[in-house]
Amino acid sequence: MSAQWTIGQPGQPTMARNNSEGRGGSVRSLERGLALLVAMNRRKLPSVVELARDTRLPRPTVYRLLETLSRAGFVTRSRPLDRYCLSRQVRTLSDGFAEDDWIADVAAPLMTEFTRQAVWPVALLTFEEGRMLVRETTHEASALSIDHGMVGRRLPMLRTAAGRCYLAFCSDKERRAILEMLSLSRAPENRGARETQRLTKLLDAIRAKGYAVQDREINPKTTGIAVPIRFGAHVLGCMSLIWISSALTIEGAETKLVPLLMSTASRIAEAFRDRKRE
């Protein structure tokens, strides 16, 4: 299938035109429907206007797709507001996906427990192809979250707490390979991989503390702290706590939230270890 989704604004899918668009109308409709589902996952109760803008589809097309998805049970409409949201039916689309199912079975319940206690949302990220991939979050369960639809986003290694945390605690061999790959990248966010002395000092400090911090480097309104989820010498992923910077200082988070964050990460690792034994 030669049609592609491109990014208009950060995190927002759009439909790219190509030479095959005039062929196979039913396939094009499917592509548009999938692009619409992805766009809806990025917003909470989006309007037709917002979805049309995000996907770069005409409003009549968006209305028709929403009607089709609604009849199929994947979308529901909030009539007083004339806005739409995904229904629980969309979860059936991923029921057959079993890769790293420990995240859903083991990590997700413990992450939810963390957010019930601490209120602030957390995310679990794993390393993939030079970036940190958001695999699970509790943003939807937190009244203090300003982010939605985070799952599936790929974030830079050196500008995120999770990326720095992963680099600090992964094996020396893996770290060298990752940094060599990042140093060859032309992306501005990977420039720091070539600043060897500064990066070594940063990673040493992270290992000494046991966690990594980033302050308003991805989102100017938020700060984050990340801890590793370790299985022996291997880092399964990193658990990242995100909060609104104006609501809590880094020192306050270190005192009030980091101990619980570390405890949760340890419990996830222990549960993973038990699962492996079974």
Side-chain angles (χ1 to χ4, degrees), residues 185-222:
S185 169
R186 295 182 180 180
E189 64 264 24
N190 294 330
R191 198 173 297 149
R194 296 187 285 273
E195 301 174 8
T196 308
Q197 289 186 338
R198 177 177 173 276
L199 187 56
T200 298
K201 185 177 180 180
L202 173 64
L203 297 181
D204 285 345
I206 291 170
R207 278 189 291 272
K209 290 193 300 183
Y211 57 89
V213 178
Q214 70 82 17
D215 189 21
R216 313 179 201 219
E217 295 177 53
I218 296 296
N219 184 326
K221 296 181 180 180
T222 63

Side-chain angles (χ1 to χ4, degrees), residues 13-227:
T14 63
M15 288 296 298
R17 296 183 179 276
N18 54 44
N19 293 332
S20 69
E21 195 173 45
R23 297 177 296 167
S26 62
V27 173
R28 187 168 72 245
S29 296
L30 175 61
E31 291 167 350
R32 287 175 168 179
L34 292 172
L36 188 66
L37 287 174
V38 173
M40 293 187 71
N41 191 52
R42 301 295 191 201
R43 290 183 179 270
K44 192 172 185 179
L45 285 176
S47 67
V48 170
V49 173
E50 290 169 335
L51 292 172
R53 182 173 63 244
D54 291 351
T55 59
R56 296 180 185 173
L57 291 172
R59 288 190 206 176
T61 299
V62 173
Y63 272 115
R64 288 197 301 271
L65 290 170
L66 287 170
E67 180 62 28
T68 300
L69 291 168
S70 179
R71 287 199 303 268
F74 294 108
V75 169
T76 59
R77 180 182 177 187
S78 175
R79 293 190 180 277
L81 301 175
D82 198 25
R83 289 176 175 268
Y84 296 80
C85 66
L86 298 175
S87 72
R88 291 186 177 274
Q89 179 73 5
V90 297
R91 291 186 177 271
T92 63
L93 298 174
S94 60
D95 278 351
F97 186 71
E99 181 188 4
D100 288 346
D101 56 0
W102 66 272
I103 294 176
D105 296 343
V106 171
L110 292 172
M111 292 168 63
T112 299
E113 184 179 325
F114 173 94
T115 295
R116 277 200 299 264
Q117 294 181 55
V119 184
W120 293 104
V122 286
L124 192 155
L125 300 91
T126 59
F127 174 75
E128 184 174 292
E129 298 179 357
R131 297 174 79 83
M132 295 301 290
L133 173 65
V134 181
R135 303 294 299 275
E136 183 65 68
T137 77
T138 62
H139 281 274
E140 298 297 333
S142 173
L144 299 180
S145 173
I146 62 171
D147 291 308
H148 296 280
M150 289 291 293
V151 173
R153 292 194 187 184
R154 299 174 188 274
L155 303 175
M157 295 288 294
L158 300 179
R159 291 180 56 204
T160 58
R164 294 168 184 168
C165 183
Y166 189 91
L167 283 171
F169 290 98
C170 68
S171 69
D172 293 342
K173 184 178 180 180
E174 184 178 7
R175 185 183 310 109
R176 284 193 297 269
I178 293 172
L179 291 178
E180 182 178 356
M181 176 173 57
L182 296 181
S183 67
L184 297 174
S185 169
R186 295 182 180 180
E189 64 264 24
N190 294 330
R191 198 173 297 149
R194 296 187 285 273
E195 301 174 8
T196 308
Q197 289 186 338
R198 177 177 173 276
L199 187 56
T200 298
K201 185 177 180 180
L202 173 64
L203 297 181
D204 285 345
I206 291 170
R207 278 189 291 272
K209 290 193 300 183
Y211 57 89
V213 178
Q214 70 82 17
D215 189 21
R216 313 179 201 219
E217 295 177 53
I218 296 296
N219 184 326
K221 296 181 180 180
T222 63
T223 302
I225 285 179
V227 299

